[in-house]
Amino acid sequence: NDLIKYLDDFFEIYKNRPIKNNFGGMGINHCFALYSILRSLKPNLIVESGVWKGQSTYIIENALPKSNIVCLDPIPKNRLFNSKNAIYFENDFVGIDWTKFDITNSLCFFDDHQNAYSRLMEMKWWGFNRAIFEDNFPDGEGDCYSLKNVLSGLGHFNIQMSKDYLPKGKDK
């Protein structure tokens, strides 16, 4: 019942989204999950790691228009939507000095295909206590070490970082 109350507002926002083809990004089901969680928790700061085209930024901005948004993505040329309410960095989550932000009522949204266990350790070290991991691949799938991989105890063939961030060339 709690989720039902968000449906009408969400569908109106989703219908008017600026990115109609978000191939490689979040679809309607994950967008609704993000929207519902944000509306329920009402964080003052949302850290989005992995922006891609900007659809999730659009959902965040419309779910909580008065919240602060920090967007992290190393490839800004892929963005089709830029929020006026967001601060953008090309740095990785670990490269930001989070003491400059009020994180007392915050939420980290990781859609960055990175090691989820490392992300949890880093966010906890800075004092963040809530997170959503959009990429949660089952055992033997995906390009990063997800929470399902962590909980299974089986590891992952690519435990450190996704293939896009691995060293390239003969020195690999």
Side-chain angles (χ1 to χ4, degrees):
N1 288 338
D2 289 341
L3 294 177
I4 297 292
K5 66 184 175 185
Y6 300 127
L7 268 176
D8 290 337
D9 289 341
F10 169 76
F11 280 132
E12 192 63 30
I13 289 166
Y14 193 79
K15 180 176 72 175
N16 295 313
R17 71 197 183 283
I19 301 163
K20 301 302 183 197
N21 178 356
N22 198 37
F23 182 75
M26 291 183 5
I28 190 170
N29 55 343
H30 289 190
C31 286
F32 179 63
L34 174 63
Y35 181 86
S36 301
I37 292 167
L38 292 174
R39 292 293 304 267
S40 295
L41 297 178
K42 296 177 180 50
N44 294 329
L45 172 69
I46 300 103
V47 176
E48 177 186 19
S49 182
V51 175
W52 184 231
K53 294 180 182 179
Q55 180 151 293
S56 49
T57 310
Y58 170 80
I59 297 296
I60 293 166
E61 178 180 81
N62 282 277
L64 297 171
K66 294 182 181 176
S67 290
N68 298 306
I69 308 167
V70 175
C71 295
L72 312 172
D73 199 289
I75 310 171
K77 68 178 182 177
N78 291 331
R79 271 197 316 263
L80 300 176
F81 173 79
N82 292 287
S83 169
K84 296 181 293 273
N85 299 336
I87 300 169
Y88 288 89
F89 293 98
E90 292 179 31
N91 306 57
D92 186 68
F93 184 84
V94 300
I96 303 292
D97 179 0
W98 293 109
T99 62
K100 296 180 178 8
F101 297 90
D102 179 3
I103 64 168
T104 53
N105 179 22
S106 61
L107 182 133
C108 296
F109 173 61
F110 295 108
D111 189 6
D112 55 10
H113 298 258
Q114 300 302 310
N115 181 323
Y117 184 72
S118 295
R119 287 290 192 234
L120 279 173
M121 289 190 303
E122 185 70 23
M123 63 172 272
K124 292 300 285 179
W125 187 88
W126 280 105
F128 291 96
N129 59 21
R130 297 186 297 195
I132 299 170
F133 286 84
E134 207 282 327
D135 303 301
N136 197 14
F137 302 108
D139 296 335
E141 294 182 26
D143 62 351
C144 61
Y145 190 49
S146 70
L147 293 178
K148 284 182 181 177
N149 297 145
V150 172
L151 294 173
S152 75
L154 298 176
H156 189 270
F157 62 90
N158 193 9
I159 196 167
Q160 292 304 312
M161 301 182 90
S162 77
K163 63 184 176 189
D164 292 339
Y165 294 90
L166 288 173
K168 313 272 188 295
K170 65 180 181 174
D171 295 332
K172 181 178 177 183

